[in-house]
Amino acid sequence: MRKENVSYWTKSSTFTQFPQLSQDLQADVLVVGGGIAGILAAYQLAKAGREVTVLEGQRLAQVTTAGTTAKITAQHHLQYQDYIKQRGEKEARLFYESQCDGIEILRNLADQYDIDCDMETLSSIQVTIGESEKKIKKEYKAYQQLGINGTLHEKDMGLPFETTMGLEMFDQAQFHPLKFLAAMVDVCVELGVTFYEETMVKKIDGNTVETENGMEVAFNQLICATHYPIANLKHNLLLHLEIERSYIVAAKDYTPIPYAMFQVADMPERSLRHYITEDGIGLLIGGENHVAGAKDDVKLCYERLAYDAEHLFNAHDIADQWSAQDMMTQDKMPLIGRYSKSDDHIFIITGFNKFGIATSAVGSVVLRDLLMGQPNKYEELLQPGRIDTIGSQAKATAKKAVNAIRGQGKAIKDYRTDREALKEDEAGIFLHDGRFEAVYKDDEGTEHAVSPFCTHMGCVLSFNNGEKTWDCACHGSRFDCDGKVLHGPASVDLKQQ
Ligand SMILES: Cc1cc2nc3c(=O)[nH]c(=O)nc-3n(C[C@H](O)[C@H](O)[C@H](O)COP(=O)(O)OP(=O)(O)OC[C@H]3O[C@@H](n4cnc5c(N)ncnc54)[C@H](O)[C@@H]3O)c2cc1C
Ligand code: FES
């Protein structure tokens, strides 16, 4: 049976493994979630002298962080003109500074601990084939207004297809994210951090969490670094999070491009960067964004990227391919800080808008300061409570409701009864003996039958034919074809049927 596509980063890194939690515990700082956000927060707090425990539901850094492109950059899209409009010049500049700090933190950590993680300094460049010239020029004005270290090129940018303009941001970086984090986990252990893996947190109750395997951990302060916040954390801000999935293909033989990170600003957006392999330098091509769980033919996303690899970059072989999803916020800034005024011992770090690498690094320092009762200049800028306004709540609620209805309606309309007609490598939702079953028949003819209802809030799942998973369009949970949780907020596996 084909497994989910695995990233190059996962294949080329090795992490120390940790046991599952098998007894109740008392923790000072409890970090739930061991992706880049959780690992770096654990590091900063341990370094500041706190006693830190990390609970990871699967294996460390194997979910979103394993699927990243790993550009370390303050140039996300053409976002500074919008920041100036929405948040004013001062906050737009502060955001840029926060990203520069994030880049510096990662470089310094790699240097300080001598981590072999292919850390490189290079530019990030937004390019256009002509369609986005106006927006790029406006963004350059924003760069000048904010003092961003970059320049505008009104010429072809040397890619194997014609471009008319490029906006370059200098002194950015890229790395191998999992080689870096595997080393940081070992540093954390030396600093006294205790890690548990395969330990999914089911709920938070006051100052205690309960795990899926029935253990309780009491804590003084908790950082929720689970990407989508833990299922029973109730807050209106969760309604503001959209979940977007994207795809990456990796090619080893291709027409060389200038040594920089690129983003094609026109539609369809494409993200490009080099990566270092044992045999030389390869090219990553990313794109094909869509709302998680809401795409009928996911295979097409890979096929379109492979088509571009071949036709634009002359890359005939795809060495690796993978996909991942990230949390998107309405104002395109992350949510980092105190969860709510009433729960002032709980902190979250999420909403990275597909730029969570430098942001996790700066976020880890913000969280360290907040937990230690110290001021931090980015606290106000990033605090989650900022988006909790009545107008945007109503908009977000309506959007969620549409998503939920889309999920439910689809299953009611699409269920089948002809199970014997199911072909190999095909899936469907069937009505059988008065109950619904989500069935995938693998390419060896074995059927995998699970409940089609998401264990988070009951939305109907849809089959992802690119990864062979059941995905939820409501809040982005994902399950393998035997029902195991791959991505939260669901923390409970689907029932096998
Ligand atoms: C395709 C793609 C490309 C990207 N490229 C870039 C890029 O070039 N540059 C950039 O800056 N950013 C990029 N990003 C964004 C960046 O990769 C993410 O924002 C970042 O990796 C998120 O890290 P995280 O630690 O929050 O999440 P994760 O890595 O998902 O970590 C969360 C962890 O929490 C665990 N968990 C969840 N629920 C529970 C629970 N209930 N109990 C215990 N554990 C739990 C999960 O198992 C997981 O390990 C990209 C994102 C995508 C999707
Ligand atoms: S992720 Fe919320 S209902 Fe499925």
Side-chain angles (χ1 to χ4, degrees):
M1 186 184 56
R2 246 191 84 200
K3 288 252 177 338
E4 195 175 8
N5 294 307
V6 175
S7 79
Y8 172 76
W9 313 126
T10 293
K11 288 183 183 169
S12 54
S13 58
T14 314
F15 277 74
T16 306
Q17 299 215 337
F18 299 92
Q20 187 179 53
L21 180 68
S22 57
Q23 59 184 34
D24 293 349
L25 272 189
Q26 171 76 47
D28 173 20
V29 175
L30 181 63
V31 177
V32 184
I36 186 167
I39 293 169
L40 293 180
Y43 165 78
Q44 294 294 353
L45 281 146
K47 191 80 182 150
R50 299 292 295 268
E51 183 239 302
V52 184
T53 303
V54 179
L55 302 183
E56 163 53 46
Q58 303 186 45
R59 290 280 163 202
L60 290 169
Q62 297 307 317
V63 185
T64 318
T65 304
T68 186
T69 320
K71 293 176 172 177
I72 310 176
T73 177
Q75 186 184 59
H76 298 179
H77 293 280
L78 301 172
Q79 86 272 33
Y80 288 99
Q81 52 193 296
D82 296 334
Y83 288 163
I84 293 173
K85 219 186 295 164
Q86 288 156 13
R87 312 263 319 237
E89 182 179 322
K90 197 168 148 220
E91 294 206 346
R93 186 174 297 110
L94 200 58
F95 186 80
Y96 170 65
E97 284 168 19
S98 76
Q99 297 294 301
C100 295
D101 283 1
I103 298 169
E104 232 18 61
I105 291 166
L106 292 172
R107 276 195 188 120
N108 290 342
L109 288 173
D111 268 2
Q112 182 182 347
Y113 296 108
D114 201 15
I115 301 174
D116 182 8
C117 60
D118 308 328
M119 179 74 78
E120 297 174 279
T121 293
L122 69 182
S123 289
S124 176
I125 307 176
Q126 296 278 332
V127 295
T128 177
I129 58 168
E131 292 164 12
S132 306
E133 281 185 6
K134 212 163 136 200
K135 190 137 199 239
I136 287 187
K137 280 187 183 161
K138 254 175 129 180
E139 185 72 357
Y140 181 53
K141 276 204 181 126
Y143 278 28
Q144 290 173 308
Q145 190 179 343
L146 300 176
I148 292 175
N149 184 14
T151 194
L152 181 70
H153 304 275
E154 298 195 59
K155 59 169 191 174
D156 181 73
M157 296 304 293
L159 291 167
F161 51 93
E162 200 182 326
T163 49
T164 59
M165 192 174 276
L167 180 63
E168 179 168 10
M169 194 182 277
F170 301 118
D171 199 25
Q172 309 297 290
Q174 64 182 24
F175 68 166
H176 186 310
L178 297 200
K179 283 187 182 168
F180 172 79
L181 287 172
M184 285 307 296
V185 167
D186 293 342
V187 170
C188 285
V189 171
E190 276 171 33
L191 291 170
V193 177
T194 313
F195 288 95
Y196 295 95
E197 292 181 301
E198 307 272 349
T199 305
M200 191 70 88
V201 168
K202 195 163 73 179
K203 65 174 183 187
I204 305 176
D205 192 0
N207 276 59
T208 306
V209 300
E210 195 183 308
T211 68
E212 263 315 310
N213 64 341
M215 304 301 134
E216 286 191 349
V217 183
F219 59 85
N220 295 324
Q221 290 172 306
L222 177 139
I223 294 176
C224 184
T226 49
H227 206 227
Y228 199 104
I230 292 170
N232 83 315
L233 272 182
K234 298 275 183 281
H235 194 293
N236 283 334
L237 75 84
L238 300 187
L239 296 172
H240 298 264
L241 297 169
E242 277 285 314
I243 301 111
E244 202 173 275
R245 213 162 168 79
S246 310
Y247 299 77
I248 296 172
V249 297
K252 289 188 180 159
D253 292 310
Y254 56 95
T255 306
I257 65 168
Y259 210 80
M261 302 178 290
F262 289 93
Q263 180 102 23
V264 181
D266 316 312
M267 298 307 275
E269 288 175 348
R270 291 288 181 257
S271 173
L272 308 170
R273 66 156 277 191
H274 297 93
Y275 72 110
I276 297 174
T277 75
E278 280 181 358
D279 329 316
I281 292 177
L283 180 68
L284 300 184
I285 306 169
E288 293 297 315
N289 313 326
H290 64 79
V291 174
K295 181 101 186 161
D296 282 338
D297 190 354
V298 170
K299 265 193 204 162
L300 258 185
C301 299
Y302 286 121
E303 284 166 16
R304 287 197 186 117
L305 289 179
Y307 181 92
D308 280 4
E310 182 167 356
H311 292 87
L312 300 178
F313 301 96
N314 209 22
H316 302 290
D317 285 324
I318 298 303
D320 290 296
Q321 62 178 32
W322 64 89
S323 66
Q325 64 197 40
D326 210 14
M327 316 295 300
M328 316 299 281
T329 59
Q330 285 178 355
D331 66 1
K332 303 279 178 249
M333 287 200 192
L335 305 170
I336 301 174
R338 225 166 242 108
Y339 188 62
S340 69
K341 280 192 186 129
S342 53
D343 291 316
D344 66 353
H345 60 309
I346 297 177
F347 300 80
I348 61 165
I349 174 162
T350 188
F352 293 125
N353 299 290
K354 302 223 189 103
F355 284 92
I357 301 295
T359 314
S360 287
V362 70
S364 67
V365 172
V366 173
L367 290 176
R368 177 201 66 197
D369 291 347
L370 292 181
L371 269 76
M372 301 294 285
Q374 307 287 338
N376 184 289
K377 68 172 175 171
Y378 304 124
E379 173 181 354
E380 203 58 31
L381 180 77
L382 307 176
Q383 52 107 359
R386 72 177 187 272
I387 55 172
D388 203 6
T389 59
I390 305 237
S392 55
Q393 256 176 42
K395 200 168 146 199
T397 308
K399 206 164 172 185
K400 281 272 137 72
V402 169
N403 270 358
I405 289 160
R406 186 166 50 198
Q408 297 287 353
K410 199 173 160 175
I412 292 162
K413 186 161 78 239
D414 287 353
Y415 76 82
R416 294 168 53 174
T417 49
D418 57 338
R419 188 144 158 187
E420 59 297 334
L422 192 66
K423 296 193 201 92
E424 285 177 8
D425 197 24
E426 196 195 354
I429 293 181
F430 293 88
L431 186 60
H432 178 66
D433 280 347
R435 66 176 184 176
F436 288 111
E437 291 182 341
V439 185
Y440 168 59
K441 190 188 255 191
D442 67 30
D443 38 23
E444 282 157 16
T446 308
E447 286 188 0
H448 304 258
V450 292
S451 158
F453 299 108
C454 179
T455 56
H456 177 225
M457 287 169 70
C459 284
V460 176
L461 303 167
S462 58
F463 190 67
N464 172 334
N465 66 357
E467 315 296 352
K468 319 301 173 197
T469 56
W470 290 99
D471 296 357
C472 183
C474 289
H475 316 98
S477 291
R478 302 181 62 236
F479 304 85
D480 76 10
C481 62
D482 292 314
K484 189 173 172 347
V485 174
L486 296 173
H487 205 292
S491 60
V492 178
D493 294 345
L494 297 173
K495 278 205 187 89
Q496 295 202 358
Q497 299 195 318

PDB file of all heavy atoms in Angstrom, residues 72 74 77 168 186 206 213 258 272 299-300 307 368-369 375 406 408 453 455 458:
ATOM      1  N   ILE A  72      14.123  30.932   5.056  1.00  0.00           N
ATOM      2  CA  ILE A  72      14.145  31.706   6.306  1.00  0.00           C
ATOM      3  C   ILE A  72      14.125  33.164   5.880  1.00  0.00           C
ATOM      4  O   ILE A  72      15.165  33.740   5.551  1.00  0.00           O
ATOM      5  CB  ILE A  72      15.414  31.389   7.129  1.00  0.00           C
ATOM      6  CG1 ILE A  72      15.591  29.874   7.285  1.00  0.00           C
ATOM      7  CG2 ILE A  72      15.346  32.049   8.497  1.00  0.00           C
ATOM      8  CD1 ILE A  72      16.875  29.477   7.991  1.00  0.00           C
ATOM      9  N   ALA A  74      12.066  37.242   5.637  1.00  0.00           N
ATOM     10  CA  ALA A  74      11.087  38.277   6.000  1.00  0.00           C
ATOM     11  C   ALA A  74      10.236  38.646   4.792  1.00  0.00           C
ATOM     12  O   ALA A  74       9.305  39.429   4.908  1.00  0.00           O
ATOM     13  CB  ALA A  74      11.820  39.514   6.509  1.00  0.00           C
ATOM     14  N   HIS A  77       5.239  37.416   0.989  1.00  0.00           N
ATOM     15  CA  HIS A  77       4.713  37.640  -0.365  1.00  0.00           C
ATOM     16  C   HIS A  77       4.969  39.117  -0.625  1.00  0.00           C
ATOM     17  O   HIS A  77       6.020  39.614  -0.261  1.00  0.00           O
ATOM     18  CB  HIS A  77       3.230  37.277  -0.423  1.00  0.00           C
ATOM     19  CG  HIS A  77       2.992  35.818  -0.237  1.00  0.00           C
ATOM     20  ND1 HIS A  77       3.153  34.905  -1.251  1.00  0.00           N
ATOM     21  CD2 HIS A  77       2.633  35.093   0.856  1.00  0.00           C
ATOM     22  CE1 HIS A  77       2.912  33.693  -0.811  1.00  0.00           C
ATOM     23  NE2 HIS A  77       2.595  33.777   0.476  1.00  0.00           N
ATOM     24  N   GLU A 168      14.002  42.214  -4.821  1.00  0.00           N
ATOM     25  CA  GLU A 168      14.959  41.399  -4.075  1.00  0.00           C
ATOM     26  C   GLU A 168      15.067  41.877  -2.633  1.00  0.00           C
ATOM     27  O   GLU A 168      15.205  43.078  -2.376  1.00  0.00           O
ATOM     28  CB  GLU A 168      16.331  41.518  -4.764  1.00  0.00           C
ATOM     29  CG  GLU A 168      17.426  40.732  -4.072  1.00  0.00           C
ATOM     30  CD  GLU A 168      18.697  40.626  -4.925  1.00  0.00           C
ATOM     31  OE1 GLU A 168      18.774  41.326  -5.972  1.00  0.00           O
ATOM     32  OE2 GLU A 168      19.595  39.862  -4.540  1.00  0.00           O
ATOM     33  N   ASP A 186      18.692  17.603  20.665  1.00  0.00           N
ATOM     34  CA  ASP A 186      19.777  17.093  21.527  1.00  0.00           C
ATOM     35  C   ASP A 186      20.299  18.189  22.459  1.00  0.00           C
ATOM     36  O   ASP A 186      20.610  17.934  23.622  1.00  0.00           O
ATOM     37  CB  ASP A 186      20.914  16.514  20.667  1.00  0.00           C
ATOM     38  CG  ASP A 186      20.462  15.252  19.919  1.00  0.00           C
ATOM     39  OD1 ASP A 186      19.429  14.667  20.335  1.00  0.00           O
ATOM     40  OD2 ASP A 186      21.104  14.884  18.922  1.00  0.00           O
ATOM     41  N   GLY A 206      -8.142  23.353  33.232  1.00  0.00           N
ATOM     42  CA  GLY A 206      -7.477  24.166  34.266  1.00  0.00           C
ATOM     43  C   GLY A 206      -5.978  24.108  34.112  1.00  0.00           C
ATOM     44  O   GLY A 206      -5.432  24.513  33.082  1.00  0.00           O
ATOM     45  N   ASN A 213      -3.733   8.404  26.117  1.00  0.00           N
ATOM     46  CA  ASN A 213      -3.547   7.112  26.784  1.00  0.00           C
ATOM     47  C   ASN A 213      -3.832   7.200  28.293  1.00  0.00           C
ATOM     48  O   ASN A 213      -3.369   6.385  29.078  1.00  0.00           O
ATOM     49  CB  ASN A 213      -2.150   6.536  26.501  1.00  0.00           C
ATOM     50  CG  ASN A 213      -1.029   7.397  27.071  1.00  0.00           C
ATOM     51  OD1 ASN A 213      -1.248   8.575  27.368  1.00  0.00           O
ATOM     52  ND2 ASN A 213       0.151   6.826  27.230  1.00  0.00           N
ATOM     53  N   PRO A 258      19.512  31.195 -11.109  1.00  0.00           N
ATOM     54  CA  PRO A 258      20.391  31.965 -10.224  1.00  0.00           C
ATOM     55  C   PRO A 258      20.248  31.507  -8.776  1.00  0.00           C
ATOM     56  O   PRO A 258      19.162  31.071  -8.365  1.00  0.00           O
ATOM     57  CB  PRO A 258      19.880  33.405 -10.392  1.00  0.00           C
ATOM     58  CG  PRO A 258      19.205  33.426 -11.715  1.00  0.00           C
ATOM     59  CD  PRO A 258      18.624  32.058 -11.916  1.00  0.00           C
ATOM     60  N   LEU A 272      10.316  28.775  -5.282  1.00  0.00           N
ATOM     61  CA  LEU A 272      11.493  28.037  -5.758  1.00  0.00           C
ATOM     62  C   LEU A 272      12.661  28.216  -4.798  1.00  0.00           C
ATOM     63  O   LEU A 272      12.879  29.318  -4.289  1.00  0.00           O
ATOM     64  CB  LEU A 272      11.950  28.583  -7.116  1.00  0.00           C
ATOM     65  CG  LEU A 272      10.921  28.706  -8.231  1.00  0.00           C
ATOM     66  CD1 LEU A 272      11.513  29.482  -9.410  1.00  0.00           C
ATOM     67  CD2 LEU A 272      10.488  27.320  -8.682  1.00  0.00           C
ATOM     68  N   LYS A 299      -4.243  14.585  -6.628  1.00  0.00           N
ATOM     69  CA  LYS A 299      -3.151  14.112  -7.500  1.00  0.00           C
ATOM     70  C   LYS A 299      -2.780  15.166  -8.534  1.00  0.00           C
ATOM     71  O   LYS A 299      -1.623  15.311  -8.914  1.00  0.00           O
ATOM     72  CB  LYS A 299      -3.610  12.856  -8.238  1.00  0.00           C
ATOM     73  CG  LYS A 299      -3.224  11.564  -7.581  1.00  0.00           C
ATOM     74  CD  LYS A 299      -3.477  10.490  -8.609  1.00  0.00           C
ATOM     75  CE  LYS A 299      -3.704   9.140  -7.976  1.00  0.00           C
ATOM     76  NZ  LYS A 299      -4.356   8.218  -8.898  1.00  0.00           N
ATOM     77  N   LEU A 300      -3.812  15.913  -8.990  1.00  0.00           N
ATOM     78  CA  LEU A 300      -3.590  16.944 -10.006  1.00  0.00           C
ATOM     79  C   LEU A 300      -2.572  17.991  -9.552  1.00  0.00           C
ATOM     80  O   LEU A 300      -1.836  18.547 -10.356  1.00  0.00           O
ATOM     81  CB  LEU A 300      -4.901  17.670 -10.286  1.00  0.00           C
ATOM     82  CG  LEU A 300      -5.682  17.309 -11.532  1.00  0.00           C
ATOM     83  CD1 LEU A 300      -6.877  18.247 -11.647  1.00  0.00           C
ATOM     84  CD2 LEU A 300      -4.797  17.426 -12.771  1.00  0.00           C
ATOM     85  N   TYR A 307       4.515  19.040 -14.146  1.00  0.00           N
ATOM     86  CA  TYR A 307       4.438  19.617 -15.507  1.00  0.00           C
ATOM     87  C   TYR A 307       5.334  20.859 -15.590  1.00  0.00           C
ATOM     88  O   TYR A 307       6.127  21.026 -16.519  1.00  0.00           O
ATOM     89  CB  TYR A 307       2.982  19.968 -15.828  1.00  0.00           C
ATOM     90  CG  TYR A 307       2.798  20.546 -17.203  1.00  0.00           C
ATOM     91  CD1 TYR A 307       2.508  19.725 -18.293  1.00  0.00           C
ATOM     92  CD2 TYR A 307       2.929  21.921 -17.430  1.00  0.00           C
ATOM     93  CE1 TYR A 307       2.354  20.257 -19.565  1.00  0.00           C
ATOM     94  CE2 TYR A 307       2.781  22.458 -18.702  1.00  0.00           C
ATOM     95  CZ  TYR A 307       2.494  21.616 -19.763  1.00  0.00           C
ATOM     96  OH  TYR A 307       2.352  22.136 -21.023  1.00  0.00           O
ATOM     97  N   ARG A 368       9.199  33.060  25.640  1.00  0.00           N
ATOM     98  CA  ARG A 368      10.098  32.997  26.804  1.00  0.00           C
ATOM     99  C   ARG A 368       9.889  34.228  27.687  1.00  0.00           C
ATOM    100  O   ARG A 368       9.709  34.106  28.908  1.00  0.00           O
ATOM    101  CB  ARG A 368      11.563  32.943  26.332  1.00  0.00           C
ATOM    102  CG  ARG A 368      12.562  32.948  27.473  1.00  0.00           C
ATOM    103  CD  ARG A 368      13.926  33.409  26.990  1.00  0.00           C
ATOM    104  NE  ARG A 368      13.908  34.808  26.572  1.00  0.00           N
ATOM    105  CZ  ARG A 368      14.846  35.396  25.808  1.00  0.00           C
ATOM    106  NH1 ARG A 368      15.859  34.705  25.374  1.00  0.00           N
ATOM    107  NH2 ARG A 368      14.746  36.674  25.496  1.00  0.00           N
ATOM    108  N   ASP A 369       9.878  35.408  27.073  1.00  0.00           N
ATOM    109  CA  ASP A 369       9.740  36.641  27.856  1.00  0.00           C
ATOM    110  C   ASP A 369       8.385  36.701  28.565  1.00  0.00           C
ATOM    111  O   ASP A 369       8.303  37.080  29.732  1.00  0.00           O
ATOM    112  CB  ASP A 369       9.943  37.871  26.960  1.00  0.00           C
ATOM    113  CG  ASP A 369      11.398  37.990  26.503  1.00  0.00           C
ATOM    114  OD1 ASP A 369      12.254  37.280  27.080  1.00  0.00           O
ATOM    115  OD2 ASP A 369      11.672  38.771  25.570  1.00  0.00           O
ATOM    116  N   PRO A 375       9.135  42.101  29.628  1.00  0.00           N
ATOM    117  CA  PRO A 375       8.545  42.758  28.459  1.00  0.00           C
ATOM    118  C   PRO A 375       9.188  42.249  27.164  1.00  0.00           C
ATOM    119  O   PRO A 375      10.330  41.800  27.170  1.00  0.00           O
ATOM    120  CB  PRO A 375       8.900  44.240  28.671  1.00  0.00           C
ATOM    121  CG  PRO A 375      10.072  44.226  29.569  1.00  0.00           C
ATOM    122  CD  PRO A 375      10.010  42.982  30.411  1.00  0.00           C
ATOM    123  N   ARG A 406     -20.334  22.482   3.471  1.00  0.00           N
ATOM    124  CA  ARG A 406     -19.768  21.880   2.261  1.00  0.00           C
ATOM    125  C   ARG A 406     -19.364  20.431   2.540  1.00  0.00           C
ATOM    126  O   ARG A 406     -19.639  19.525   1.792  1.00  0.00           O
ATOM    127  CB  ARG A 406     -18.554  22.699   1.821  1.00  0.00           C
ATOM    128  CG  ARG A 406     -17.977  22.259   0.511  1.00  0.00           C
ATOM    129  CD  ARG A 406     -17.016  23.273  -0.049  1.00  0.00           C
ATOM    130  NE  ARG A 406     -16.031  23.691   0.929  1.00  0.00           N
ATOM    131  CZ  ARG A 406     -15.303  24.782   0.829  1.00  0.00           C
ATOM    132  NH1 ARG A 406     -15.472  25.582  -0.184  1.00  0.00           N
ATOM    133  NH2 ARG A 406     -14.420  25.095   1.734  1.00  0.00           N
ATOM    134  N   GLN A 408     -20.445  18.365   5.018  1.00  0.00           N
ATOM    135  CA  GLN A 408     -21.588  17.509   5.335  1.00  0.00           C
ATOM    136  C   GLN A 408     -22.378  17.201   4.068  1.00  0.00           C
ATOM    137  O   GLN A 408     -22.706  16.071   3.778  1.00  0.00           O
ATOM    138  CB  GLN A 408     -22.522  18.223   6.332  1.00  0.00           C
ATOM    139  CG  GLN A 408     -21.892  18.524   7.671  1.00  0.00           C
ATOM    140  CD  GLN A 408     -21.710  17.277   8.514  1.00  0.00           C
ATOM    141  OE1 GLN A 408     -22.158  16.204   8.157  1.00  0.00           O
ATOM    142  NE2 GLN A 408     -21.016  17.422   9.616  1.00  0.00           N
ATOM    143  N   PHE A 453     -16.682  10.184   9.757  1.00  0.00           N
ATOM    144  CA  PHE A 453     -16.956  11.411  10.508  1.00  0.00           C
ATOM    145  C   PHE A 453     -15.735  11.817  11.332  1.00  0.00           C
ATOM    146  O   PHE A 453     -15.222  11.031  12.153  1.00  0.00           O
ATOM    147  CB  PHE A 453     -18.174  11.220  11.422  1.00  0.00           C
ATOM    148  CG  PHE A 453     -19.409  10.891  10.635  1.00  0.00           C
ATOM    149  CD1 PHE A 453     -19.942   9.601  10.665  1.00  0.00           C
ATOM    150  CD2 PHE A 453     -20.016  11.840   9.827  1.00  0.00           C
ATOM    151  CE1 PHE A 453     -21.066   9.286   9.913  1.00  0.00           C
ATOM    152  CE2 PHE A 453     -21.142  11.537   9.073  1.00  0.00           C
ATOM    153  CZ  PHE A 453     -21.662  10.247   9.113  1.00  0.00           C
ATOM    154  N   THR A 455     -13.271  13.066  14.044  1.00  0.00           N
ATOM    155  CA  THR A 455     -13.411  12.939  15.509  1.00  0.00           C
ATOM    156  C   THR A 455     -13.272  14.288  16.199  1.00  0.00           C
ATOM    157  O   THR A 455     -13.431  14.360  17.419  1.00  0.00           O
ATOM    158  CB  THR A 455     -12.360  11.960  16.079  1.00  0.00           C
ATOM    159  OG1 THR A 455     -11.065  12.421  15.697  1.00  0.00           O
ATOM    160  CG2 THR A 455     -12.585  10.549  15.576  1.00  0.00           C
ATOM    161  N   GLY A 458     -17.099  16.198  14.038  1.00  0.00           N
ATOM    162  CA  GLY A 458     -18.082  15.400  13.311  1.00  0.00           C
ATOM    163  C   GLY A 458     -18.299  15.724  11.850  1.00  0.00           C
ATOM    164  O   GLY A 458     -19.186  15.155  11.223  1.00  0.00           O
TER     165      GLY A 458
END
